[in-house]
Amino acid sequence: MKTPRKLFAAVAVVIIIAGFGLARTIDYILGQNRDQVRQELQKIIGKDVSFAGLEAVWWGRPGFVVSEFRILDDSHFAATPLISAKELTLGISLWDLLFQRLVITQLTFIAPELQIIINETGALNLASLLERKNELRRFPTLRYPATSERKQAGVNFSIARIDIRDGRVEYIDRSIKEPAELRLNHLRLTLKGF
């Protein structure tokens, strides 16, 4: 009777040690790529993105948690952010992580707020954001060293799913005589299949 207990205890110890080793490895890889994730977010969205902090997490779904995420609006529309979220979770692919490639596959916005504004001239703030993003592409970019000289493979965005939890959308139309407003609260949305 003691032999099965010893075998069970040995298997449990091996599983705990393997789990701890896997957690430390994931934490190390995520920690190494934290600054690259910050740079890639700013490169994709533009200079108007800001956030309070960026943490690597491995418990639950490995990835990164961005706190107080904001995309600033053009001052012609509003002084408040175009998009803000209490938290943005960037989920990564475990399969790619096994090969030491960091691929972000899922975005989860916690308590996001989106302001859609049409100003007095009829211009849309979302269109203004796209124009500013296109202007950034025209600037010359720095050349990176050859791939053999680079230490890290980089961060890739291959978004397959976007989740919105407890979201809020505010629509304001100032192009008409009496400004119109519409608010949607407690929005929960999942987008898949990109």
Side-chain angles (χ1 to χ4, degrees), residues 7 10 33 42 45-46 60 68 70 82 87 106 136 141 160-161 167 176 184-186 191:
L7 180 64
N33 290 292
Q42 289 176 335
I45 299 170
E68 301 300 325
R70 285 183 171 76
L82 171 70
E87 206 173 82
Q106 181 176 347
L136 286 175
T141 57
R161 179 180 173 137
I176 55 179
L184 299 173
N185 292 317
H186 306 296
L191 303 169

mmCIF file of all heavy atoms in Angstrom, residues 7 10 33 42 45-46 60 68 70 82 87 106 136 141 160-161 167 176 184-186 191:
data_model
loop_
_atom_site.group_PDB
_atom_site.id
_atom_site.type_symbol
_atom_site.label_atom_id
_atom_site.label_comp_id
_atom_site.label_asym_id
_atom_site.label_seq_id
_atom_site.Cartn_x
_atom_site.Cartn_y
_atom_site.Cartn_z
ATOM 1 N N LEU A 7 4.733 6.521 -5.123
ATOM 2 C CA LEU A 7 4.700 6.826 -6.553
ATOM 3 C C LEU A 7 3.879 8.090 -6.815
ATOM 4 O O LEU A 7 4.296 8.968 -7.577
ATOM 5 C CB LEU A 7 4.127 5.636 -7.330
ATOM 6 C CG LEU A 7 4.046 5.813 -8.841
ATOM 7 C CD1 LEU A 7 5.449 5.951 -9.426
ATOM 8 C CD2 LEU A 7 3.317 4.658 -9.463
ATOM 9 N N ALA A 10 5.853 11.080 -5.634
ATOM 10 C CA ALA A 10 6.955 11.374 -6.547
ATOM 11 C C ALA A 10 6.443 12.068 -7.809
ATOM 12 O O ALA A 10 7.037 13.045 -8.289
ATOM 13 C CB ALA A 10 7.706 10.096 -6.902
ATOM 14 N N ASN A 33 11.005 40.650 -23.106
ATOM 15 C CA ASN A 33 10.350 41.303 -24.245
ATOM 16 C C ASN A 33 9.426 42.446 -23.848
ATOM 17 O O ASN A 33 8.719 42.983 -24.695
ATOM 18 C CB ASN A 33 9.562 40.258 -25.049
ATOM 19 C CG ASN A 33 10.482 39.311 -25.762
ATOM 20 O OD1 ASN A 33 11.186 39.691 -26.678
ATOM 21 N ND2 ASN A 33 10.509 38.071 -25.309
ATOM 22 N N GLN A 42 3.358 51.342 -29.376
ATOM 23 C CA GLN A 42 3.467 52.728 -29.817
ATOM 24 C C GLN A 42 3.676 52.818 -31.319
ATOM 25 O O GLN A 42 3.206 53.760 -31.949
ATOM 26 C CB GLN A 42 4.579 53.427 -29.050
ATOM 27 C CG GLN A 42 4.204 53.652 -27.602
ATOM 28 C CD GLN A 42 5.303 54.252 -26.764
ATOM 29 O OE1 GLN A 42 6.478 54.105 -27.069
ATOM 30 N NE2 GLN A 42 4.927 54.908 -25.685
ATOM 31 N N ILE A 45 -0.013 51.902 -32.881
ATOM 32 C CA ILE A 45 -1.072 52.874 -32.618
ATOM 33 C C ILE A 45 -0.616 54.296 -32.892
ATOM 34 O O ILE A 45 -1.383 55.138 -33.315
ATOM 35 C CB ILE A 45 -1.588 52.724 -31.172
ATOM 36 C CG1 ILE A 45 -2.168 51.317 -30.997
ATOM 37 C CG2 ILE A 45 -2.640 53.764 -30.854
ATOM 38 C CD1 ILE A 45 -2.499 50.961 -29.585
ATOM 39 N N GLY A 46 0.644 54.572 -32.643
ATOM 40 C CA GLY A 46 1.160 55.916 -32.860
ATOM 41 C C GLY A 46 1.591 56.559 -31.558
ATOM 42 O O GLY A 46 1.465 56.005 -30.481
ATOM 43 N N GLY A 60 -2.814 32.119 -15.199
ATOM 44 C CA GLY A 60 -4.028 32.178 -16.007
ATOM 45 C C GLY A 60 -3.656 32.078 -17.474
ATOM 46 O O GLY A 60 -3.241 31.042 -17.944
ATOM 47 N N GLU A 68 -4.252 51.536 -17.271
ATOM 48 C CA GLU A 68 -4.618 52.914 -17.644
ATOM 49 C C GLU A 68 -4.232 53.231 -19.094
ATOM 50 O O GLU A 68 -3.551 54.202 -19.378
ATOM 51 C CB GLU A 68 -3.980 53.925 -16.680
ATOM 52 C CG GLU A 68 -4.366 53.741 -15.232
ATOM 53 C CD GLU A 68 -5.856 53.858 -14.969
ATOM 54 O OE1 GLU A 68 -6.519 54.670 -15.643
ATOM 55 O OE2 GLU A 68 -6.344 53.129 -14.103
ATOM 56 N N ARG A 70 -4.563 54.573 -22.816
ATOM 57 C CA ARG A 70 -5.244 55.728 -23.418
ATOM 58 C C ARG A 70 -4.703 56.006 -24.815
ATOM 59 O O ARG A 70 -3.507 55.916 -25.044
ATOM 60 C CB ARG A 70 -5.018 56.980 -22.578
ATOM 61 C CG ARG A 70 -5.787 57.037 -21.318
ATOM 62 C CD ARG A 70 -5.560 58.351 -20.598
ATOM 63 N NE ARG A 70 -6.445 58.519 -19.491
ATOM 64 C CZ ARG A 70 -6.318 57.908 -18.318
ATOM 65 N NH1 ARG A 70 -5.324 57.096 -18.121
ATOM 66 N NH2 ARG A 70 -7.189 58.115 -17.356
ATOM 67 N N LEU A 82 -9.618 59.638 -26.741
ATOM 68 C CA LEU A 82 -10.483 59.004 -27.725
ATOM 69 C C LEU A 82 -10.896 57.631 -27.222
ATOM 70 O O LEU A 82 -12.057 57.259 -27.221
ATOM 71 C CB LEU A 82 -9.749 58.884 -29.065
ATOM 72 C CG LEU A 82 -10.403 58.070 -30.159
ATOM 73 C CD1 LEU A 82 -11.632 58.785 -30.678
ATOM 74 C CD2 LEU A 82 -9.435 57.816 -31.284
ATOM 75 N N GLU A 87 -7.820 48.652 -18.107
ATOM 76 C CA GLU A 87 -6.798 47.631 -18.303
ATOM 77 C C GLU A 87 -6.923 47.052 -19.709
ATOM 78 O O GLU A 87 -8.017 46.895 -20.222
ATOM 79 C CB GLU A 87 -7.043 46.524 -17.270
ATOM 80 C CG GLU A 87 -5.864 45.727 -16.889
ATOM 81 C CD GLU A 87 -6.206 44.793 -15.732
ATOM 82 O OE1 GLU A 87 -6.767 43.727 -15.991
ATOM 83 O OE2 GLU A 87 -5.924 45.167 -14.581
ATOM 84 N N GLN A 106 -4.461 37.910 -28.669
ATOM 85 C CA GLN A 106 -5.740 38.303 -28.101
ATOM 86 C C GLN A 106 -5.618 39.620 -27.350
ATOM 87 O O GLN A 106 -4.644 39.845 -26.633
ATOM 88 C CB GLN A 106 -6.229 37.222 -27.136
ATOM 89 C CG GLN A 106 -7.563 37.511 -26.518
ATOM 90 C CD GLN A 106 -8.040 36.364 -25.643
ATOM 91 O OE1 GLN A 106 -7.495 35.283 -25.678
ATOM 92 N NE2 GLN A 106 -9.069 36.614 -24.871
ATOM 93 N N LEU A 136 2.545 59.254 -39.576
ATOM 94 C CA LEU A 136 3.697 58.637 -38.914
ATOM 95 C C LEU A 136 4.439 57.687 -39.860
ATOM 96 O O LEU A 136 5.641 57.530 -39.775
ATOM 97 C CB LEU A 136 3.260 57.860 -37.672
ATOM 98 C CG LEU A 136 2.868 58.704 -36.472
ATOM 99 C CD1 LEU A 136 2.347 57.809 -35.359
ATOM 100 C CD2 LEU A 136 4.057 59.499 -35.973
ATOM 101 N N THR A 141 12.295 55.543 -41.039
ATOM 102 C CA THR A 141 12.461 54.665 -39.887
ATOM 103 C C THR A 141 13.929 54.285 -39.741
ATOM 104 O O THR A 141 14.687 54.297 -40.704
ATOM 105 C CB THR A 141 11.629 53.379 -40.054
ATOM 106 O OG1 THR A 141 12.021 52.743 -41.272
ATOM 107 C CG2 THR A 141 10.141 53.695 -40.099
ATOM 108 N N ALA A 160 -6.352 37.409 -33.175
ATOM 109 C CA ALA A 160 -7.423 36.520 -33.602
ATOM 110 C C ALA A 160 -8.706 36.778 -32.816
ATOM 111 O O ALA A 160 -9.771 36.312 -33.206
ATOM 112 C CB ALA A 160 -7.004 35.068 -33.423
ATOM 113 N N ARG A 161 -8.583 37.498 -31.705
ATOM 114 C CA ARG A 161 -9.766 37.728 -30.858
ATOM 115 C C ARG A 161 -9.609 39.038 -30.090
ATOM 116 O O ARG A 161 -8.542 39.348 -29.576
ATOM 117 C CB ARG A 161 -9.904 36.563 -29.891
ATOM 118 C CG ARG A 161 -11.059 36.670 -28.959
ATOM 119 C CD ARG A 161 -11.114 35.471 -28.056
ATOM 120 N NE ARG A 161 -12.132 35.668 -27.047
ATOM 121 C CZ ARG A 161 -12.983 34.749 -26.667
ATOM 122 N NH1 ARG A 161 -12.923 33.552 -27.188
ATOM 123 N NH2 ARG A 161 -13.873 35.011 -25.747
ATOM 124 N N GLY A 167 -17.804 47.827 -21.381
ATOM 125 C CA GLY A 167 -17.411 48.985 -22.179
ATOM 126 C C GLY A 167 -18.471 50.077 -22.202
ATOM 127 O O GLY A 167 -19.620 49.861 -21.826
ATOM 128 N N ILE A 176 -24.758 69.391 -36.166
ATOM 129 C CA ILE A 176 -26.141 69.848 -36.331
ATOM 130 C C ILE A 176 -26.439 70.964 -35.331
ATOM 131 O O ILE A 176 -25.665 71.196 -34.403
ATOM 132 C CB ILE A 176 -27.138 68.671 -36.166
ATOM 133 C CG1 ILE A 176 -26.921 67.958 -34.827
ATOM 134 C CG2 ILE A 176 -27.014 67.699 -37.312
ATOM 135 C CD1 ILE A 176 -27.850 66.813 -34.566
ATOM 136 N N LEU A 184 -23.882 54.357 -24.759
ATOM 137 C CA LEU A 184 -24.101 52.931 -24.556
ATOM 138 C C LEU A 184 -23.239 52.510 -23.375
ATOM 139 O O LEU A 184 -22.031 52.743 -23.373
ATOM 140 C CB LEU A 184 -23.698 52.133 -25.793
ATOM 141 C CG LEU A 184 -24.438 52.436 -27.086
ATOM 142 C CD1 LEU A 184 -23.796 51.697 -28.241
ATOM 143 C CD2 LEU A 184 -25.888 52.024 -26.966
ATOM 144 N N ASN A 185 -23.859 51.890 -22.371
ATOM 145 C CA ASN A 185 -23.125 51.466 -21.181
ATOM 146 C C ASN A 185 -23.160 49.949 -21.040
ATOM 147 O O ASN A 185 -24.029 49.281 -21.609
ATOM 148 C CB ASN A 185 -23.734 52.095 -19.919
ATOM 149 C CG ASN A 185 -23.526 53.591 -19.893
ATOM 150 O OD1 ASN A 185 -22.451 54.082 -20.204
ATOM 151 N ND2 ASN A 185 -24.566 54.331 -19.538
ATOM 152 N N HIS A 186 -22.232 49.439 -20.268
ATOM 153 C CA HIS A 186 -22.129 48.011 -19.940
ATOM 154 C C HIS A 186 -22.063 47.147 -21.200
ATOM 155 O O HIS A 186 -22.731 46.124 -21.310
ATOM 156 C CB HIS A 186 -23.288 47.568 -19.047
ATOM 157 C CG HIS A 186 -23.431 48.407 -17.825
ATOM 158 N ND1 HIS A 186 -22.465 48.468 -16.844
ATOM 159 C CD2 HIS A 186 -24.418 49.271 -17.434
ATOM 160 C CE1 HIS A 186 -22.853 49.301 -15.897
ATOM 161 N NE2 HIS A 186 -24.032 49.813 -16.231
ATOM 162 N N LEU A 191 -15.049 39.783 -30.579
ATOM 163 C CA LEU A 191 -14.827 39.744 -32.020
ATOM 164 C C LEU A 191 -13.809 38.654 -32.296
ATOM 165 O O LEU A 191 -12.721 38.646 -31.716
ATOM 166 C CB LEU A 191 -14.306 41.089 -32.515
ATOM 167 C CG LEU A 191 -15.170 42.304 -32.215
ATOM 168 C CD1 LEU A 191 -14.412 43.575 -32.521
ATOM 169 C CD2 LEU A 191 -16.441 42.245 -33.012
#
